[in-house]
Amino acid sequence: MTIISGDINKAVDILNDEDIIAIPTETVYGLAGNIYSEKAIRRIFEVKERPLYNPLIVHLHSIIQLDGIVSEIPPAAQLLADAFWPGSLTLILKKKSVIPDIITAGKDTVGVRIPNHPVALSLLRQLEFPLAAPSANPFNRISPTKSSHVENYFKDSIKMVLEGGECKNGLESTIIGFDDEEPVLLRLGSISIEEIESIVGKIKINNKAETAPDAPGMLAKHYSPQTKMYLVDDVAQVLDEHKNKKIGLLTFTDTEVDYTIAHIEVLSESGDLKEAASKLYNTLHKLDAIDLDVIIAQRLPDIGLGKSINDRLERAAK
Ligand code: AMP
Ligand code: MG
């Protein structure tokens, strides 16, 4: 039986025992283990059915820990860390040899971040080691933003989900790598490009889908519901094409379409992109659970977090 509980001491015991648990963060729930325990890390890959070429993000509680694990901090990385940590920003930095190869998939860089969630921070402070914590979903499936999502996925294969409520941001971290000290955006996420550029100026963007990508969160198909899904600009036309099917419709704000033919989920009545981001995965989980023939999602405005949401919807619809 998986325990769902806010008992941090219990979480500490399980992690000290080289086992893994799910933890809350402000982005999504993570499947966490001691970065220095090969046993725990192998278990993360096994439970997630994650390919070993897909590196894990290392979670710290304090920037003071950074020096121990990375060998270089480009000036732009320092500016971004100062601006956004604790928060939903992952920096890809040159690693020191203490970081095991299995964490980084053999790369000479490591992804690091300080999560902005009181339960995660309090847990990390009580441990002698950082936590690797990829999203707590089976490979390619919708990320979890509630403890119940994790429980549904993993049932008895993990001992504990550390309860931390619903994830506030609800989208994975934004990932920034460095090319000769110049920041490069590798994955869109909870922090918009505009926010990043307000700190370091215009940045290069390299988040296109590949089969063996630099940031495997960028695989073409990812974050997917099991129901067939389409991402469209013109909902009315597509609804017409699927007339005789059981349709789930996912829209950004309220819509004028004929309510009788679709189960409708609205991400933000008031058109707030932050609210839409925070609800996205929970809404996909809901739609996926109601036995529809097809989910039709409407593309969001291509600005700010709208870009990150569209990125996830595109991969979900592959
Ligand atoms: P998840 O925690 O499931 O959102 O996945 C973590 C993502 O971080 C992976 O999909 C990678 O794209 C990215 N990542 C972690 N470490 C590195 C690294 N050293 N280089 C590039 N990307 C990384
Ligand atoms: Mg993931």
Side-chain angles (χ1 to χ4, degrees):
M1 275 279 287
T2 309
I3 308 163
I4 302 184
S5 145
D7 184 349
I8 292 185
N9 293 331
K10 172 124 194 105
V12 168
D13 287 345
I14 297 173
L15 291 164
N16 280 337
D17 206 22
E18 297 191 68
D19 206 342
I20 64 173
I21 61 166
I23 62 164
T25 80
E26 83 284 17
T27 59
V28 302
Y29 273 75
L31 203 55
N34 174 355
I35 63 163
Y36 301 118
S37 161
E38 185 170 340
K39 182 177 160 210
I41 300 307
R42 287 208 176 274
R43 184 82 188 129
I44 291 177
F45 280 99
E46 183 185 87
V47 168
K48 264 185 75 72
E49 296 169 56
R50 180 173 173 118
L52 286 163
Y53 64 72
N54 199 338
L56 307 180
I57 294 172
V58 170
H59 292 70
L60 310 175
H61 61 79
S62 163
I63 196 158
I64 294 167
Q65 295 172 283
L66 197 58
D67 267 347
I69 60 173
V70 308
S71 59
E72 283 169 39
I73 306 174
Q78 188 66 53
L79 286 174
L80 290 168
D82 291 343
F84 296 112
W85 281 356
S88 309
L89 171 75
T90 296
L91 297 174
I92 307 295
L93 300 169
K94 284 258 163 359
K95 79 175 189 92
K96 283 193 171 160
S97 58
V98 289
I99 299 292
D101 284 342
I102 187 171
I103 297 285
T104 65
K107 289 172 181 284
D108 64 354
T109 53
V110 60
V112 276
R113 85 176 187 101
I114 303 178
N116 188 15
H117 190 292
V119 174
L121 287 171
S122 159
L123 172 68
L124 284 162
R125 281 191 208 105
Q126 291 181 51
L127 296 168
E128 308 264 300
F129 43 82
L131 290 174
S135 52
N137 51 313
F139 190 57
N140 277 349
R141 301 282 297 278
I142 308 166
S143 296
T145 54
K146 288 179 171 179
S147 53
S148 59
H149 298 155
V150 183
E151 190 194 19
N152 289 340
Y153 278 142
F154 296 123
K155 299 275 178 326
D156 296 334
S157 52
I158 56 173
K159 283 201 182 115
M160 180 179 188
V161 182
L162 181 59
E163 181 59 72
E166 196 161 346
C167 303
K168 239 182 19 219
N169 292 353
L171 274 189
E172 290 81 358
S173 59
T174 300
I175 302 184
I176 305 282
F178 295 86
D179 182 2
D180 271 343
E181 305 211 330
E182 289 303 312
V184 183
L185 182 116
L186 299 177
R187 176 174 78 182
L188 290 159
S190 268
I191 296 176
S192 67
I193 301 177
E194 290 87 338
E195 285 174 274
I196 299 282
E197 290 185 336
S198 76
I199 305 297
V200 290
K202 202 95 194 124
I203 59 167
K204 278 195 280 184
I205 299 192
N206 178 22
N207 73 323
K208 57 185 184 312
E210 300 169 53
T211 41
D214 280 344
M218 305 320 294
L219 285 169
K221 182 176 168 62
H222 211 83
Y223 316 110
S224 299
Q226 297 201 300
T227 313
K228 177 74 193 149
M229 180 169 151
Y230 297 92
L231 175 62
V232 301
D233 293 302
D234 182 358
V235 167
Q237 187 207 328
V238 183
L239 280 179
D240 204 42
E241 284 168 20
H242 292 273
K243 260 210 290 292
N244 300 318
K245 296 190 182 146
K246 254 173 37 192
I247 300 167
L249 180 61
L250 178 66
T251 68
F252 175 34
T253 54
D254 241 339
T255 162
E256 310 264 287
V257 298
D258 177 358
Y259 280 59
T260 58
I261 52 171
H263 176 100
I264 300 183
E265 291 285 343
V266 177
L267 289 175
S268 170
E269 299 278 353
S270 65
D272 176 9
L273 288 167
K274 205 162 165 47
E275 182 187 10
S278 75
K279 287 194 183 159
L280 176 69
Y281 289 142
N282 188 42
T283 307
L284 286 176
H285 278 283
K286 267 205 276 192
L287 286 169
D288 209 17
I290 54 179
D291 196 29
L292 299 162
D293 294 324
V294 57
I295 299 170
I296 295 170
Q298 182 182 39
R299 195 181 297 278
L300 276 74
D302 203 38
I303 46 157
L305 288 181
K307 281 202 180 92
S308 307
I309 298 170
N310 287 336
D311 173 86
R312 299 303 190 270
L313 288 173
E314 269 163 27
R315 292 171 211 278
K318 274 276 156 42

